[in-house]
Amino acid sequence: MPTFLYLARRVLQAVVVILIVTVVVFCLLHALPGGPARGILGPQATAQQIAEFNRQQGLDEPLPVQYLYYLRTLLHGDLGTSYTLNEPVAQLIEQRLPKTLVLTVLSAVVALLIAIPLGMWQAVRRNKPVDYVVTTLSFVAYSTPVYFLGLILVLVFSQLLPWLPAQAPQGDTLAQVFADPAGLVLPVVAGAASMIAVFSRYMRAATLENLSEDYVRTARAGGSRRNALLWRHVFRNSLTPVVAMLGYYVPVLFGGALVVEQLFNYPGMGLLFWSSAQSSDYPVLLGCVLVISIATVVGTLIADVVQRIIDPRVKAGRA
């Protein structure tokens, strides 16, 4: 399939999925206790205020018409107003989302920089003692809850060995976050641990599969050195499943960020979601759900595009 048609099809699919997400969030909004007006205006709103809000927002119209109004407000960046913080939800997310992206991107980069060579190293040493040791450690890291790992990191590196702060960087801007790089270490490690375990296993399996391919045997028979063969050929072909999984791992990253941010008091969107859940601030909760869902769809789209670039089989339309 030509590249343009492939990209057009994937973008169209992403748009359809995003529309489905907006329908789900719209339904959740109408399932709020007391309806969307009560959820947006807060529990102290009077019946007269609710009626006036319904009239202004078109909530007294049929549901299909209300959904069109809802889409229009979304396109204008209006996600409602937090009735506990008394600020627009879009503004709150705009302040917090960049800090969450910094945390998740740093965690993903650290995880991939460790997991990819680690997985290839395990594949080359398959069924040797070091392979079994690393595999065991990977299973332990994958099965350890993020909050428990975070507590262990704080206990060891902030209490027993006071090398790193237990609290993440504070502040409203990214400049304030980057001003305290030591405070990012423990949250990033906590967020990256399970990713290292997962992606090293995928990389190991993909490398083993490619090492058994005919082109590897042919290259070996032609006198190619092992390191050159690994990094020039096997490495690129083995990245395909890792890249594909990375797009689907976006919601896991945001889910982990919720726990990590609450544990280390990191002022990102995860902490905002946690605080809003504690106070039943429904507009903020639904706004966060919508943003995370769209980020997941976009992440999957980017992963598919990158996979098509690095995998010749996808280019040829056979995968």
Side-chain angles (χ1 to χ4, degrees):
M1 179 183 297
T3 301
F4 175 78
L5 292 179
Y6 174 81
L7 294 178
R9 187 185 69 176
R10 288 295 296 116
V11 170
L12 180 61
Q13 290 173 348
V15 171
V16 171
V17 172
I18 289 175
L19 286 176
I20 293 174
V21 169
T22 62
V23 171
V24 173
V25 174
F26 174 78
C27 294
L28 290 175
L29 184 63
H30 281 72
L32 295 177
R38 176 71 66 183
I40 293 173
L41 295 178
Q44 304 301 323
T46 64
Q48 183 179 358
Q49 290 173 328
I50 291 177
E52 179 63 20
F53 180 86
N54 287 336
R55 185 188 66 80
Q56 292 178 351
Q57 301 297 321
L59 295 175
D60 53 354
E61 300 285 348
L63 283 179
V65 177
Q66 291 185 41
Y67 175 69
L68 293 178
Y69 286 154
Y70 175 69
L71 277 183
R72 184 183 65 183
T73 59
L74 289 182
L75 292 175
H76 286 83
D78 185 3
L79 298 177
T81 302
S82 167
Y83 60 75
T84 57
L85 299 175
N86 197 28
E87 294 184 45
V89 175
Q91 181 177 326
L92 291 172
I93 293 178
E94 183 181 356
Q95 293 172 351
R96 303 294 188 97
L97 182 58
K99 286 173 278 191
T100 296
L101 289 176
V102 167
L103 180 62
T104 54
V105 169
L106 284 177
S107 299
V109 169
V110 169
L112 292 176
L113 288 177
I114 296 175
I116 289 175
L118 181 62
M120 294 185 67
W121 183 71
Q122 281 187 265
V124 173
R125 291 161 177 78
R126 181 185 183 186
N127 296 331
K128 293 185 178 180
V130 290
D131 182 29
Y132 293 126
V133 171
V134 175
T135 298
T136 301
L137 293 176
S138 297
F139 285 139
V140 171
Y142 179 72
S143 59
T144 302
V146 176
Y147 70 87
F148 182 74
L149 176 61
L151 291 174
I152 294 298
L153 291 173
V154 170
L155 179 63
V156 174
F157 295 103
S158 294
Q159 302 298 323
L160 298 179
L161 303 172
W163 294 345
L164 297 168
Q167 180 172 269
Q170 303 298 301
D172 296 329
T173 65
L174 290 179
Q176 292 172 310
V177 171
F178 286 117
D180 182 20
L184 285 172
V185 174
L186 294 185
V188 168
V189 171
S194 63
M195 281 192 67
I196 294 173
V198 170
F199 285 97
S200 65
R201 300 300 299 167
Y202 273 99
M203 195 65 188
R204 177 184 182 275
T207 303
L208 287 174
E209 180 181 354
N210 279 279
L211 286 174
S212 63
E213 294 289 341
D214 291 337
Y215 76 89
V216 173
R217 288 192 289 267
T218 302
R220 283 176 174 170
S224 295
R225 295 183 178 181
R226 187 182 68 174
N227 288 339
L229 180 62
L230 283 173
W231 292 107
R232 290 180 183 177
H233 304 287
V234 175
F235 170 70
R236 178 171 177 173
N237 292 332
S238 300
L239 278 181
T240 302
V242 175
V243 171
M245 279 300 301
L246 188 59
Y248 298 109
Y249 218 74
V250 172
V252 180
L253 286 173
F254 277 101
L258 189 153
V259 178
V260 171
E261 290 181 11
Q262 193 276 333
L263 180 63
F264 293 98
N265 195 32
Y266 183 78
M269 204 167 72
L271 185 59
L272 175 66
F273 187 91
W274 177 273
S275 303
S276 301
Q278 297 294 101
S279 59
S280 299
D281 196 342
Y282 297 113
V284 176
L285 292 175
L286 293 179
C288 290
V289 169
L290 181 64
V291 170
I292 292 173
S293 301
I294 293 176
T296 301
V297 175
V298 173
T300 305
L301 175 62
I302 293 174
D304 287 346
V305 173
V306 174
Q307 183 183 8
R308 182 175 176 85
I309 293 173
I310 68 175
D311 190 348
R313 293 171 298 177
V314 178
K315 287 183 180 180
R318 296 193 297 271

